[in-house]
Amino acid sequence: MISFILYKFLFALIFFVVALVVAMYSTYGERKVAAFMQDRVGPNRAGPFGILQPLADGVKMFMKEEVIPNTSDRKLFLLGPSLAMLTALMTGVVIPWGSPMNFNGHTFPLQLTDINIGILYVFGVVSLGVYGIMIGGWASNNKYSLLGALRASSQMISYEIAMGLAIIALVMKTGTLSLGAIVSQQHHTWNVFIQPLSFLIFLICAFAETNRAPFDLPECETELVGGYHTEYSSMKLGFYLFAEYINMFISSAIISCLYFGGYNIPFQDHLHLSGNLLPILQFLVLFAKILFFIFFFMWVRWTIPRFRYDQLMNLGWKGLLPLAILNILITGVVLWATGAFK
Amino acid sequence: MLTTRSKKINKSEMSLAERLYLPAILNGMSITFRHMFKKDATIRYPEQEREFAPVYRGQHVLKRDDAGAERCTACGLCAIACPAEAITMDAAERKPGEEHLYREEKYASKYEINMLRCIFCGMCEEACPKEAIFLTDRIVHTEYDRQGFIYGKDLLVEKMDHRIDVSKRQTTDVLVFKKGDQSERHNQLGK
């Protein structure tokens, strides 16, 4: 029992560190990707190829003066960024990183916890993410922050619906809500080939959920100064920005797991891998998929301009929502025709 | 219509493919992706310097002649020619025994150029009858205060052991322009 708790604790710690490091280097990656797409060089001063840039940024964030506005609600003001960070990190616990490893006859599952309602858990925690932004924006007592927070919450709530309905079609096909089971089902065929429409809707909603361009209205600099984090400074601002990158990491992981086979390696039956080599390779493959999607997030950000707010709502309610319902209908008809309902 | 430059705007209804936006987005993404592999135009400055044009007009130099005597005679023509009024000087008489220091009987005891005022037009160079002042391909460095930008003789006069090549600015055209008579001068200006 002790060893079980110790193992889980260690695993959680490693996940925590990995998520933070990935988020840290996402900021570096973001700037590099932006630079390359604009025919620039990007950060290249701190260390070789600017590889130490995130550390320099972190030090800068910590050294900055911390301003808490007099008119703000102090407790909530502090709670906002903590909550954003907490919910961003909490989502990750259900991600399966590979098939179980074996040491001296003991099996160690490479998943923190395989809840049988994994997807529901993810949705629950992601919905809580709105609170971090909403509370932060409200507590700032500033009109830009409040507007940004309002936009963020209505946007996230609207897109969660389409996202949920997109997932329902997938769940109808898989018949389970457990992420571990969904991933292992994709041993031969990735879900993206079975549910392409669901994937598309999920992808678009993921952009909206993480508040990334083209749906970065909550913090659009051109209209709202900084949106919900206008009044934040120092590491509290850092927490908000960091939470966004962690959200991006988790979203990429969940997209990979739900639609791109998770840790499954294409043609892994032909590789004849055995022992602990397989889980390690699987972890690396999943990581590559995640990194690709993080790159994809950035790629889109530096390509597409921001939506106008009414366009955003139009797309969410009149575009994606009916499409998701149609997808459920089609899935249902196909499943009925193939005799999956008995 | 006065010109042919105005463009026809297509205001017809968008087709389904256009309303979906996805083809346009994919097109845009392919463009940004291709840009990732393009060569960037950045010159990484401290390590890599941009090559100057041969006649680049940078920081001034007050030349010495071949024997090492200062050429400037403090006539003040450069200061008058200067459109930015950046040049100021004091004249002094050469004492006996100073012939190796100053070429003419009169010399500039103080010669200052305010590099913040200077517009690097090269009029001083053009006005100088003694071939004493030239603009070079050196860059005026940054300073933390304004006072530092007022360059005196210590910075402007070339060092004996570190002569500055101005042959690039001393092209035959310039020499002809300076020495030629009025008719030739007219031709040169018309060029």
Side-chain angles (χ1 to χ4, degrees):
Chain A
M1 191 60 202
I2 295 287
S3 68
F4 174 78
I5 292 171
L6 202 70
Y7 171 67
K8 289 294 182 195
F9 181 75
L10 207 71
F11 197 92
L13 195 71
I14 290 171
F15 168 73
F16 182 71
V17 170
V18 166
L20 287 186
V21 168
V22 168
M24 226 166 93
Y25 273 91
S26 297
T27 64
Y28 169 77
E30 173 103 61
R31 294 166 71 177
K32 274 287 184 195
V33 167
F36 290 152
M37 287 187 174
Q38 295 166 356
D39 299 339
R40 292 188 287 113
V41 184
N44 66 345
R45 292 287 133 178
F49 303 106
I51 209 88
L52 299 176
Q53 188 66 40
L55 294 177
D57 286 339
V59 169
K60 187 203 83 168
M61 279 288 186
F62 276 112
M63 304 294 274
K64 285 260 174 173
E65 186 190 356
E66 198 168 326
V67 182
I68 300 178
N70 279 336
T71 50
S72 68
D73 186 327
R74 209 185 146 84
K75 278 182 213 139
L76 292 182
F77 194 77
L78 296 177
L79 183 65
S82 333
L83 211 57
M85 196 72 166
L86 180 77
T87 50
L89 282 166
M90 259 168 73
T91 349
V93 298
V94 287
I95 295 165
W97 294 99
S99 43
M101 283 178 116
N102 276 300
F103 289 110
N104 302 331
H106 296 288
T107 41
F108 294 96
L110 288 185
Q111 184 178 15
L112 212 49
T113 168
D114 191 8
I115 321 173
N116 55 6
I117 49 153
I119 294 175
L120 278 186
Y121 168 81
V122 169
F123 270 85
V125 176
V126 164
S127 315
L128 284 179
V130 179
Y131 283 97
I133 291 170
M134 191 69 217
I135 287 174
W138 172 258
S140 298
N141 206 356
N142 167 317
K143 58 189 164 204
Y144 295 120
S145 305
L146 183 62
L147 277 173
L150 282 175
R151 280 184 176 188
S153 40
S154 54
Q155 171 184 324
M156 285 172 93
I157 290 166
S158 314
Y159 276 77
E160 242 159 47
I161 295 170
M163 198 182 211
L165 289 179
I167 286 296
I168 284 180
L170 184 73
V171 170
M172 281 165 74
K173 190 252 145 197
T174 57
T176 172
L177 283 164
S178 144
L179 265 177
I182 289 177
V183 169
S184 51
Q185 274 181 11
Q186 298 176 70
H187 191 71
H188 294 293
T189 327
W190 290 356
N191 278 338
V192 65
F193 300 117
I194 302 165
Q195 288 280 350
L197 193 59
S198 163
F199 163 68
L200 189 69
I201 297 166
F202 190 88
L203 186 71
I204 294 170
C205 293
F207 277 92
E209 288 292 308
T210 47
N211 291 329
R212 295 277 305 179
F215 304 114
D216 57 342
L217 289 118
E219 47 183 307
C220 51
E221 300 90 350
T222 35
E223 305 162 33
L224 291 180
V225 194
Y228 59 87
H229 55 57
T230 306
E231 294 289 351
Y232 281 90
S233 53
S234 185
M235 206 50 208
K236 291 206 286 300
L237 173 68
F239 261 41
Y240 268 129
L241 302 182
F242 230 67
E244 185 186 318
Y245 283 99
I246 295 174
N247 270 330
M248 206 161 88
F249 171 56
I250 304 288
S251 295
S252 303
I254 291 188
I255 292 173
S256 311
C257 286
L258 288 180
Y259 294 98
F260 284 82
Y263 54 72
N264 283 310
I265 309 166
F267 311 111
Q268 69 188 24
D269 290 342
H270 303 284
L271 294 174
H272 300 296
L273 294 164
S274 55
N276 287 333
L277 189 64
L278 183 67
I280 291 169
L281 265 180
Q282 284 176 333
F283 171 75
L284 291 178
V285 165
L286 176 59
F287 218 74
K289 287 172 186 171
I290 292 171
L291 288 184
F292 170 76
F293 276 104
I294 290 178
F295 168 73
F296 188 78
F297 269 91
M298 292 168 182
W299 185 8
V300 168
R301 171 167 179 189
W302 297 104
T303 304
I304 309 174
R306 183 182 300 134
F307 274 84
R308 210 171 56 213
Y309 201 68
D310 60 311
Q311 290 172 333
L312 174 93
M313 283 297 158
N314 257 338
L315 179 67
W317 289 102
K318 295 188 193 163
L320 296 180
L321 187 61
L323 211 58
I325 294 172
L326 183 74
N327 191 37
I328 293 174
L329 215 71
I330 295 169
T331 312
V333 168
V334 170
L335 285 178
W336 173 72
T338 52
F341 295 143
K342 281 279 153 68
Chain B
M1 225 201 297
L2 292 169
T3 64
T4 54
R5 269 174 291 173
S6 60
K7 278 182 190 155
K8 269 243 160 62
I9 294 167
N10 182 8
K11 283 191 174 173
S12 57
E13 286 267 306
M14 286 197 288
S15 67
L16 181 68
E18 280 171 328
R19 263 184 293 143
L20 274 176
Y21 290 115
L22 286 176
I25 287 170
L26 290 177
N27 186 27
M29 286 175 72
S30 81
I31 289 171
T32 44
F33 194 73
R34 264 180 275 139
H35 268 271
M36 290 200 36
F37 306 103
K38 280 197 179 152
K39 211 176 150 283
D40 53 62
T42 313
I43 296 168
R44 289 154 176 80
Y45 170 59
E47 294 95 38
Q48 207 182 350
E49 279 186 26
R50 186 190 205 110
E51 215 175 291
F52 286 157
V55 289
Y56 183 84
R57 297 194 298 261
Q59 187 195 319
H60 315 65
V61 63
L62 284 174
K63 287 293 286 179
R64 295 173 187 274
D65 65 6
D66 293 339
E70 283 177 28
R71 286 178 174 179
C72 179
T73 183
C75 64
L77 282 175
C78 48
I80 289 167
C82 182
E85 302 193 345
I87 304 176
T88 175
M89 69 186 75
D90 281 347
E93 197 179 337
R94 183 181 69 187
K95 301 278 179 329
E98 288 183 335
E99 285 84 356
H100 66 288
L101 290 175
Y102 311 110
R103 194 170 64 174
E104 318 280 342
E105 297 99 72
K106 193 171 129 234
Y107 72 94
S109 59
K110 188 186 97 175
Y111 192 104
E112 284 177 357
I113 300 179
N114 186 337
M115 291 300 175
L116 288 178
R117 299 205 65 145
C118 180
I119 59 171
F120 301 96
C121 61
M123 298 283 262
C124 44
E125 205 182 37
E126 208 170 284
C128 186
K130 297 290 179 189
E131 303 276 293
I133 190 164
F134 283 97
L135 272 68
T136 62
D137 55 1
R138 295 172 299 170
I139 292 174
V140 175
H141 292 292
T142 48
E143 299 278 345
Y144 283 107
D145 55 0
R146 285 166 178 271
Q147 205 56 39
F149 281 106
I150 298 171
Y151 280 26
K153 278 182 80 175
D154 53 330
L155 289 168
L156 291 170
V157 179
E158 65 176 341
K159 303 278 179 291
M160 280 302 290
D161 52 349
H162 188 251
R163 304 299 286 260
I164 284 145
D165 177 30
V166 292
S167 53
K168 281 188 233 159
R169 302 275 311 152
Q170 236 170 351
T171 53
T172 43
D173 280 1
V174 175
L175 291 174
V176 168
F177 176 76
K178 288 215 166 184
K179 292 193 179 122
D181 58 6
Q182 284 305 308
S183 61
E184 220 170 346
R185 185 169 198 144
H186 176 79
N187 283 337
Q188 289 297 327
L189 285 171
K191 215 174 177 182

